[in-house]
Amino acid sequence: MSAYAHTVGAVVYRFDSLRTLLAKASPPRSGDLLAGLGAASAAERVAAQMALADLPLTVFLNEALIPYEADEVTRLIIDGHQRAAFAAISHLTVGGLRDWLLSEAAADSALALNVIAAGVTPEMAAAVCRLMRNQDLILVASRCQRTSSFRNTIGLPGRLSTRLQPNHPQDGAAGIGAAILDGLRYGSGDACIGINPAADNLPQQVRLLHMLDELIARYAIPTQSCVLTHVTNTLAAIERGAPVDLVFQSIAGTEAANRSFGIDLALLKEAQAAALALGRGTVGNNVMYFETGQGSCLSANAHHGLDQQTCEARAYAVARAFAPLLVNSVVGFIGPEYLYDGKQIIRAGLEDHFCGKLMGLPMGIDVCYTNHAEADQDDMDTLLTLLATAGCTFVMGVAGSDDIMLNYQSTSFHDALYIRRLLGLKAAPEFDAWLRQMGIFTGADGVRLGAMPPLLAQAARTLAS
């Protein structure tokens, strides 16, 4: 591998590989520091960023961070790279890419950002990210329009979708149903109604799938359901005739980390084909839902010496290969061992959203933190507001923002209503029309709460009895 160097004052900083250069140029975060990967000082970080800025983008096509022979994600990135899409930026350095992304030329043509998406490797996205302030990440991401569809259309301009997350510590039907009705009452659920099951029990997961399917059909809700279980369970559920809309799986940016999740690319391809064969979408056929998060490769000791943000960007290459409906980074979920405080969580959330959007994904963020992190709900309010201005595709909707099954803090139904009102954002068009038809939302702005719809009131009384 090549060596890199940059002089700051009288000090020459040397970086023995591209992998080291990227790690040292990354903004400080606890995971990289604990792993011995981050810069030892601000001066070393700046030197690495300066050296990185002068690096031609073509270097990332010629120098694999993880050897091609040793990692199927590397092979996916290299074999799937679209040279025609890369042609428009192939002459640029990393610093030149940053300047172009922020230029009027990029601003004047959303098509330009769409064209280059397939030519941007995750390493290029991770590299340019390190040269950008938070406002840069927000501005560029806001220019990247990425849409996907199943029973509604996600990611259109002026829209912000939500995943209604009605988790229950016992998978209780009454508790799940109450949370769903509460979420629908506040306009949540157009990204999907998605349950993290408490038990790794296939019959119970099939029961939840039928429950969600019956609810969506009964009230003619233009949305999709998902039980966020392991992909092998979803395949087994499909074999049992369960009504599967979306296939969920947590993914990471290295083959070894994915293996620790019990998956590989072939298994994801098999699951995608099985879901497509069901033909349950009405306006589109994007059937995959992926979750990621900075630190997963480090926590599995499967990072190959890469920093956590570069590993995270590589996970987006995996997602991109399967044309997903939804991708989201559960940004603060792993804990302070990887993102220590609110400042690091906010930065990571903006990075993940930017990199995913730049690479062509319908990118959402679970604006969240664990209770032992140095963060609070004010930090999440800040991140939610920043992401919404950046054109985030979707966020979570959790009753009271407190997930009582997973034991972490996220965004509430009220938070989604706040940001839609603040910025004049609406739900996916098909779902928004349903909200108006039901009388849930009224008024010219489309986010004024109406009276409790009779059908939902009846359902609430049934649950209470």
Side-chain angles (χ1 to χ4, degrees):
M1 287 190 174
S2 304
Y4 305 90
H6 192 82
T7 302
V8 177
V11 180
V12 178
Y13 291 90
R14 300 186 186 281
F15 310 99
D16 60 11
S17 67
L18 183 55
R19 183 187 301 135
T20 302
L21 180 64
L22 285 167
K24 300 296 186 183
S26 183
R29 60 207 67 206
S30 53
D32 291 339
L33 293 175
L34 288 171
L37 301 173
S41 67
E44 184 181 31
R45 182 175 304 109
V46 169
Q49 290 170 339
M50 295 294 288
L52 186 62
D54 293 335
L55 201 67
L57 293 177
T58 51
V59 169
F60 295 101
L61 300 178
N62 300 318
E63 188 170 334
L65 299 181
I66 304 174
Y68 181 93
E69 299 78 14
D71 185 87
E72 70 170 355
V73 177
T74 297
R75 294 193 290 273
L76 174 71
I77 293 166
I78 294 175
D79 295 346
H81 185 247
Q82 295 190 21
R83 296 266 177 178
F86 180 62
I89 56 173
S90 62
H91 62 291
L92 297 176
T93 62
V94 176
L97 177 60
R98 174 192 179 274
D99 293 344
W100 181 81
L101 290 171
L102 292 167
S103 71
E104 297 304 319
D108 291 342
S109 175
L111 178 62
L113 290 169
N114 291 337
V115 166
I116 70 163
V120 175
T121 70
E123 293 84 0
M124 293 174 194
V128 75
C129 184
R130 284 152 168 72
L131 307 183
M132 304 179 85
R133 295 169 55 187
N134 285 0
Q135 67 171 246
D136 300 335
L137 300 174
I138 293 167
L139 179 61
V140 175
S142 73
R143 296 170 172 173
C144 299
Q145 299 297 330
R146 314 302 187 201
T147 59
S148 57
S149 57
F150 189 76
R151 290 200 190 98
N152 57 37
T153 308
I154 306 294
L156 291 168
R159 309 278 174 172
L160 175 66
S161 295
T162 59
R163 170 191 156 196
L164 203 170
Q165 184 170 305
N167 296 342
H168 189 272
Q170 296 177 325
D171 289 338
I176 289 172
I180 291 174
L181 293 178
D182 192 24
L184 292 174
R185 179 73 181 87
Y186 284 94
S188 284
D190 52 332
C192 74
I193 302 175
I195 301 172
N196 296 89
D200 189 20
N201 179 299
L202 183 59
Q204 189 156 298
Q205 291 161 12
V206 170
R207 176 181 63 82
L208 292 174
L209 285 165
H210 281 288
M211 174 186 170
L212 292 175
D213 185 59
E214 290 165 9
L215 181 144
I216 289 172
R218 180 175 183 182
Y219 298 107
I221 308 171
T223 190
Q224 36 282 329
S225 69
C226 187
V227 172
L228 283 72
T229 185
H230 193 270
V231 63
T232 53
N233 287 337
T234 302
L235 277 167
I238 291 173
E239 290 173 358
R240 293 190 179 196
V244 171
D245 290 342
L246 303 181
V247 174
F248 168 81
Q249 183 55 49
S250 294
I251 58 173
T254 71
E255 179 180 345
N258 284 325
R259 194 183 306 120
S260 76
F261 291 157
I263 64 167
D264 58 21
L265 299 180
L267 181 60
L268 295 178
K269 186 175 182 179
E270 178 186 353
Q272 181 189 37
L276 286 171
L278 298 177
R280 293 176 57 82
T282 56
V283 298
N285 61 358
N286 300 115
V287 297
M288 305 299 283
Y289 175 12
F290 295 119
E291 283 190 347
T292 68
Q294 287 194 29
S296 58
C297 291
L298 279 175
S299 67
N301 195 27
H303 57 95
H304 296 270
L306 295 180
D307 65 274
Q308 63 188 46
Q309 196 268 324
T310 300
C311 287
E312 173 71 4
R314 284 169 58 93
Y316 304 152
V318 176
R320 183 167 62 179
F322 295 94
L325 179 76
L326 307 169
V327 182
N328 75 277
S329 166
V330 193
V331 67
F333 184 74
I334 302 183
E337 301 84 2
Y338 302 95
L339 297 169
Y340 179 71
D341 57 13
K343 181 179 178 65
Q344 291 188 10
I345 292 171
I346 288 168
R347 172 69 189 190
L350 295 176
E351 289 174 344
D352 294 351
H353 179 252
F354 162 83
C355 287
K357 281 289 187 68
L358 185 64
M359 292 174 61
L361 292 173
M363 195 72 194
I365 299 290
D366 189 345
V367 180
C368 65
Y369 65 102
T370 57
N371 289 310
H372 63 310
E374 291 294 321
D376 58 27
Q377 212 64 36
D378 286 339
D379 295 314
M380 299 306 102
D381 289 346
T382 299
L383 180 54
L384 172 63
T385 305
L386 294 174
L387 285 167
T389 62
C392 188
T393 304
F394 72 103
V395 295
M396 303 299 120
V398 178
S401 76
D402 183 7
D403 192 306
I404 59 174
M405 193 279 283
L406 292 173
N407 291 310
Y408 80 116
Q409 308 302 310
S410 186
T411 44
S412 71
F413 308 138
H414 303 76
D415 294 332
L417 187 62
Y418 141 75
I419 201 65
R420 282 174 171 169
R421 285 174 168 172
L422 178 69
L423 299 178
L425 302 171
K426 297 180 180 180
E430 301 87 348
F431 192 82
D432 181 63
W434 179 83
L435 292 172
R436 290 170 176 272
Q437 177 187 340
M438 293 288 287
I440 294 173
F441 281 174
T442 63
D445 60 1
V447 289
R448 184 181 299 276
L449 291 178
M452 172 68 93
L455 281 175
L456 293 187
Q458 179 185 359
R461 286 192 294 271
T462 301
L463 284 171
S465 63

